[in-house]
Amino acid sequence: MECRVVERFTASERLAHWLHFLAFAVLLSTGLFLYAPFMSAFGIGQAGEASRLAHRVAAVVFMIAPLIYLIGSPRDFFASLRAAFSYGEDDLGWLRNAWGYYTHGRKGTMPSQGKYNAGQKLNALTQIVGFIIFVLTGLIMWFGRGVVSVDVFRWSVVMHDLAMIATAVWFWAHLYLVWIHPIQRESITAMFSGSVTEEFASEHHGKWLKEMRK
């Protein structure tokens, strides 16, 4: 029996996603060199110079990634942006039932979701706010030493670190759900192929599937 599929992510969205993922992974790992004692050797000498260079190159890629999505699929870009800031009763229902659904497979308790469920929206919202903070504070830390006041520089470091903690928590939760948890396995394959089966879309994003069929 042929398995019907539906397009979920455009090529530009997938490219932007993977660039963002790779850049964030490099930024997170090289940033940890400054804070994790067992990684301190990577933060000094030639290793430290290499890690700082990698951090800055990754920062440039990190800033470019959303532009690729915006230029390649502007309508989807703004639709995804609106979704990250739009919440309704279905999202509250997802939050109420997420634990039972993902730990005990209680499918009947989960309300029908749009293209993104509440967890994905919260992750996107955190990443968007984090992106803004990373860019503003990162540019100050990169080019502002000796230009801005000591207090501004110090608070930039603090905000940069807090944004890192918040986005890293969602980053690891996201990795667990799409790479390890069997319920969401098609979410990661869709980021390669661009499509999901109608069965998966119906179960996890039924409201969105109905809109697509219209």
Side-chain angles (χ1 to χ4, degrees):
M1 182 178 178
E2 184 179 356
C3 184
R4 299 180 64 182
V5 298
V6 57
E7 184 184 36
R8 181 156 171 77
F9 301 115
T10 64
S12 58
E13 186 174 4
R14 300 197 308 273
L15 176 59
H17 174 273
W18 287 116
L19 286 175
H20 177 89
F21 170 80
L22 292 173
F24 186 86
V26 173
L27 289 167
L28 181 61
S29 59
T30 53
L32 285 175
F33 295 161
L34 301 176
Y35 300 98
F38 67 95
M39 292 183 172
S40 59
F42 295 101
I44 57 177
Q46 290 184 335
E49 292 180 6
S51 66
R52 285 188 288 275
L53 176 60
H55 195 88
R56 290 167 179 167
V57 171
V60 173
V61 175
F62 184 77
M63 289 186 284
I64 290 174
L67 296 178
I68 292 175
Y69 185 17
L70 172 61
I71 295 171
S73 302
R75 185 175 65 177
D76 293 308
F77 176 88
F78 287 109
S80 297
L81 197 61
R82 285 194 300 271
F85 291 90
S86 302
Y87 296 86
E89 185 61 33
D90 293 336
D91 299 303
L92 294 176
W94 186 94
L95 293 172
R96 285 193 297 265
N97 296 285
W99 178 259
Y101 180 69
Y102 289 103
T103 59
H104 303 292
R106 296 171 184 165
K107 299 180 181 180
T109 63
M110 185 62 71
S112 183
Q113 299 292 302
K115 184 174 182 180
Y116 306 106
N117 61 42
Q120 292 168 328
K121 288 182 178 182
L122 289 172
N123 177 43
L125 179 60
T126 304
Q127 299 300 333
I128 291 169
V129 175
F131 176 87
I132 295 171
I133 295 174
F134 281 137
V135 171
L136 294 178
T137 59
L139 289 174
I140 290 173
M141 293 162 63
W142 192 350
F143 301 107
R145 187 182 294 273
V147 177
V148 300
S149 68
V150 173
D151 288 337
V152 170
F153 192 90
R154 184 182 296 118
W155 275 108
S156 295
V157 174
V158 172
M159 294 301 296
H160 204 81
D161 292 349
L162 291 176
M164 181 274 292
I165 294 170
T167 53
V169 168
W170 279 104
F171 177 76
W172 289 113
H174 180 64
L175 279 184
Y176 167 74
L177 285 174
V178 300
W179 283 103
I180 300 174
H181 202 294
I183 290 181
Q184 288 282 1
R185 191 62 52 80
E186 276 196 54
S187 292
I188 190 62
T189 58
M191 271 300 170
F192 291 100
S193 67
S195 303
V196 294
T197 63
E198 284 198 349
E199 180 182 4
F200 177 87
S202 178
E203 178 181 342
H204 297 277
H205 306 280
K207 183 187 294 186
W208 169 72
L209 181 61
K210 289 179 181 179
E211 294 172 355
M212 293 291 290
R213 284 173 171 168
K214 289 180 182 179

